Amino acid sequence: MVTGEVKNKIDNIWDTFWTGGITNSITVLEQMTYLFFMKMLDDAQTKKEVAANAFGVEISNPVFKKGTWRNPDTKKEVPYESLRWHVFKNTNSTDMFNTIRNDVFPFIKTLNSGKESAYSRFMENATFLVQNPRILTKIVDDIDDLDMNDRDAMGDVYEYILGKMAASGNNGQFRTPRHIIHMMVSLMEPTLTDTICDPAMGSAGFIVESAKYVKEHYGQDLLDRNNLDHFKNKMFYGYDTDQTMLRIGAMNLMLHDVDNPNIAYCDSLSNDNTDVNKYTLCLANPPFAGTLDKDAVSKSLLTISDSTKTELLFVALFIRMLQMGGRCASIVPDGVLFGNTKGHKALRKELVDNQTLQAVISMPAGVFQPYSGVSTAILVFTKTNAGGTEKVWFYDMKADGYSLDQKRTEVAENDIPDVVARFHNLEGEKSRSRKDQSFLVPVEEIRENGYDLSINKYKEIEREKVVYEKPSVIFDRITTLEGEINAALEEFRDKYM
């Protein structure tokens, strides 16, 4: 968690961008990310140089080579050394501004090979928007105190910035709350044998949280070279159609030690996405409440759910993308659980009859405030293509640790620890009744109810019998009270009138 001096420094950087006329929150984060990347490149090479000097050797594949770099925009030869953060930060405001804008920024846009440049793959259309040397100097000075080699601390910094971006509410992005992402990752318990994908990755929150979970639980195993190579280069995949979010997501992953994430610009629901039987785990909060032109949708998805609704098509995509035995946890709007269209029913039937549907966790409507009050749920299933659903676990989550209004302040009520604990002990749920907050429902009953997956269809509401007094008793009480009032009035009149 970011606190104290670092938090104040990030807040100051944010405010400085606003002072400089950059007020759109996602643009602020994007511009900040460019400068983070410039510093990361130099810090990483400096660290390698220190180690190499200790052994009297040259570092391999340096980003900043000896000699000069030819600027493709100006056709000038620029010394590599002048492109390094620790060099240009010590020049005067005007020189530093010109160096960053005219040389360093074009340089990082040309880095297109090597794991250190995963972020730069998405820099083609990037634009440097800081226009004031004084503003840039202040931002660079504040960023300079951040240790880019401490990935855990920088990961927290970046997540704090993402939180500020979400809190501003004007970027058009629906950021999944971090504690909900953490809950879903805890439900799925990723391991080093997994290959994980989020086909609607945004800022890569699910992938980052999965990486953190693996590091926390399998840290010793990451000392093995093959495991580390898998973690850094082959374990995490993500797609998005927004180049800005791809840049932000790539930086987020790099700051969490995923140096070469397999993320790409791709419309996941189109024919451009050819992933089939590829991943062992999908975690996502895909866009919903939208419709697509059927001609733009991959035909393989329409065979599962003949629909134009993105919330249905993404679940169909997860089924297609997963390997046999692969698992998925995805947020869906409540309509997916009970919608009456042919596409809705076909998708639910597919999950129940052809795959193994394990859980439906209904979340409170305020989880996505202040952006939306839409009710959502989490679907958890395993791909089998041969059925296997015996009982489905339902949980009625009423609190997530925050108020369910637009302020979303912390509160004591929080069902999330209970959700995770009970999901990992479904054997203990067999004794629960339909009056409890969670319970199991046999698959036969779900089929009998037309594959309806809304918890209210199965939850037993305990109603207390209310016994009202007879009208005659109430009337007598009213008459008595009326007499007492009249007597008091007479006493008052006799005494004061």
Side-chain angles (χ1 to χ4, degrees):
M1 178 178 290
V2 175
T3 57
E5 184 180 352
V6 175
K7 178 178 180 295
N8 291 335
K9 196 172 294 293
I10 294 300
D11 290 341
N12 288 338
I13 294 170
W14 190 275
D15 292 341
T16 303
F17 273 108
W18 279 63
T19 302
I22 301 175
T23 56
N24 180 281
S25 59
I26 199 167
T27 305
V28 171
L29 178 55
E30 182 182 31
Q31 298 297 308
M32 201 183 301
T33 296
Y34 300 153
L35 293 166
F36 278 2
F37 187 57
M38 294 173 192
K39 188 172 190 297
M40 278 184 68
L41 289 174
D42 188 38
D43 283 1
Q45 181 153 325
T46 299
K47 187 177 180 181
K48 291 178 181 178
E49 287 169 345
V50 170
N53 289 337
F55 292 99
V57 297
E58 296 286 332
I59 68 170
S60 60
N61 300 317
V63 173
F64 304 99
K65 303 176 177 65
K66 293 180 180 179
T68 61
W69 167 74
R70 183 173 177 80
N71 188 322
D73 297 333
T74 63
K75 310 304 180 187
K76 293 181 179 178
E77 296 293 329
V78 181
Y80 274 104
E81 190 70 10
S82 68
L83 302 175
R84 301 186 65 167
W85 180 280
H86 77 274
V87 174
F88 64 66
K89 74 165 186 176
N90 291 316
T91 59
N92 65 60
S93 294
T94 301
D95 288 346
M96 182 174 66
F97 175 78
N98 289 329
T99 297
I100 291 176
R101 182 184 62 177
N102 299 330
D103 295 327
V104 183
F105 190 70
F107 173 69
I108 65 174
K109 290 176 68 173
T110 63
L111 294 172
N112 292 313
S113 63
K115 64 181 181 180
E116 290 163 322
S117 64
Y119 166 74
S120 66
R121 295 173 196 158
F122 310 105
M123 292 290 289
E124 183 178 356
N125 299 316
T127 305
F128 192 70
L129 296 178
V130 181
Q131 300 297 320
N132 184 301
R134 180 181 58 82
I135 293 293
L136 181 60
T137 299
K138 189 173 187 310
I139 293 169
V140 167
D141 286 344
D142 283 338
I143 291 177
D144 190 55
D145 288 339
L146 301 174
D147 182 5
M148 295 294 178
N149 291 309
D150 186 347
R151 292 297 181 90
D152 287 337
M154 278 308 301
D156 286 343
V157 165
Y158 209 68
E159 286 172 22
Y160 173 68
I161 297 169
L162 286 168
K164 286 179 69 69
M165 181 186 81
S168 66
N170 64 355
N171 53 65
Q173 299 288 334
F174 264 62
R175 180 172 174 263
T176 311
R178 185 177 174 185
H179 62 290
I180 300 298
I181 294 175
H182 180 76
M183 175 183 71
M184 292 172 66
V185 171
S186 297
L187 290 172
M188 304 314 290
E189 297 182 320
T191 72
L192 267 171
T193 62
D194 278 312
T195 305
I196 302 170
C197 182
D198 179 354
M201 59 169 271
S203 60
F206 283 102
I207 305 174
V208 164
E209 192 64 35
S210 297
K212 289 170 66 177
Y213 185 94
V214 169
K215 284 174 63 179
E216 180 180 345
H217 291 82
Y218 302 95
Q220 288 298 314
D221 295 327
L222 285 172
L223 297 176
D224 178 87
R225 181 177 296 179
N226 292 330
N227 286 337
L228 186 61
D229 177 65
H230 176 66
F231 178 84
K232 287 179 173 289
N233 302 308
K234 305 168 187 174
M235 186 172 185
F236 303 104
Y237 292 76
Y239 303 125
D240 207 284
T241 55
D242 186 329
Q243 288 278 5
T244 298
M245 295 312 295
L246 285 165
R247 286 192 285 270
I248 290 169
M251 175 62 72
N252 199 9
L253 285 161
M254 289 171 67
L255 290 170
H256 287 86
D257 281 334
V258 184
D259 292 340
N260 193 29
N262 298 281
I263 59 179
Y265 179 91
C266 181
D267 180 352
S268 293
L269 299 178
S270 73
N271 288 316
D272 293 338
N273 181 1
T274 59
D275 290 346
V276 178
N277 302 325
K278 184 172 181 178
Y279 307 105
T280 64
L281 177 59
C282 285
L283 287 153
N285 177 20
F288 44 76
T291 56
L292 301 174
D293 184 341
K294 273 193 178 181
D295 291 338
V297 178
S298 172
K299 299 300 183 288
S300 62
L301 304 182
L302 297 175
T303 60
I304 297 174
S305 177
D306 189 5
S307 174
T308 59
K309 292 186 175 295
T310 55
E311 59 264 37
L312 302 180
L313 293 169
F314 265 102
V315 178
L317 176 67
F318 300 142
I319 296 171
R320 191 193 78 186
M321 293 172 71
L322 286 170
Q323 296 177 15
M324 209 64 67
R327 302 159 296 138
C328 175
S330 175
I331 296 173
V332 296
D334 270 4
V336 171
L337 308 180
F338 55 78
N340 286 322
T341 71
K342 185 184 295 184
H344 282 89
K345 292 178 179 178
L347 182 67
R348 295 197 299 268
K349 190 175 188 301
E350 171 71 24
L351 290 172
V352 172
D353 287 351
N354 296 335
Q355 314 303 331
T356 300
L357 179 62
Q358 293 157 298
V360 179
I361 302 166
S362 294
M363 294 193 291
V367 164
F368 288 100
Q369 290 284 20
Y371 317 110
S372 172
V374 64
S375 294
T376 56
I378 299 169
L379 291 178
V380 181
F381 67 89
T382 298
K383 178 176 178 177
T384 64
N385 282 351
T389 306
E390 295 181 357
K391 292 184 178 181
V392 178
W393 184 63
F394 287 83
Y395 193 106
D396 187 10
M397 192 171 108
K398 301 180 184 296
D400 69 338
Y402 294 85
S403 63
L404 298 174
D405 55 18
Q406 293 205 350
K407 293 183 179 179
R408 293 289 278 158
T409 52
E410 282 196 66
V411 298
E413 296 77 18
N414 187 1
D415 291 332
I416 289 178
D418 190 54
V419 172
V420 176
R422 291 188 179 280
F423 178 78
H424 290 305
N425 182 29
L426 292 182
E427 189 68 25
E429 296 293 287
K430 291 181 178 179
S431 60
R432 304 269 284 178
S433 79
R434 301 291 177 87
K435 297 176 183 177
D436 293 320
Q437 200 165 352
S438 63
F439 50 83
L440 293 163
V441 177
V443 67
E444 294 81 8
E445 187 176 347
I446 292 174
R447 291 188 181 114
E448 290 169 3
N449 282 286
Y451 297 92
D452 193 313
L453 296 177
S454 55
I455 191 169
N456 290 334
K457 193 75 174 179
Y458 307 99
K459 190 174 181 65
E460 184 178 336
I461 307 298
E462 189 171 12
R463 293 181 173 84
E464 294 184 4
K465 184 178 181 180
V466 179
V467 180
Y468 295 100
E469 293 178 316
K470 293 181 179 180
S472 59
V473 175
I474 298 173
F475 186 77
D476 288 344
R477 187 180 299 119
I478 293 173
T479 302
T480 300
L481 289 172
E482 187 177 31
E484 291 174 356
I485 292 170
N486 288 334
L489 287 172
E490 287 297 328
E491 183 181 348
F492 182 85
R493 183 182 291 110
D494 292 342
K495 188 174 183 179
Y496 297 103
M497 298 295 286

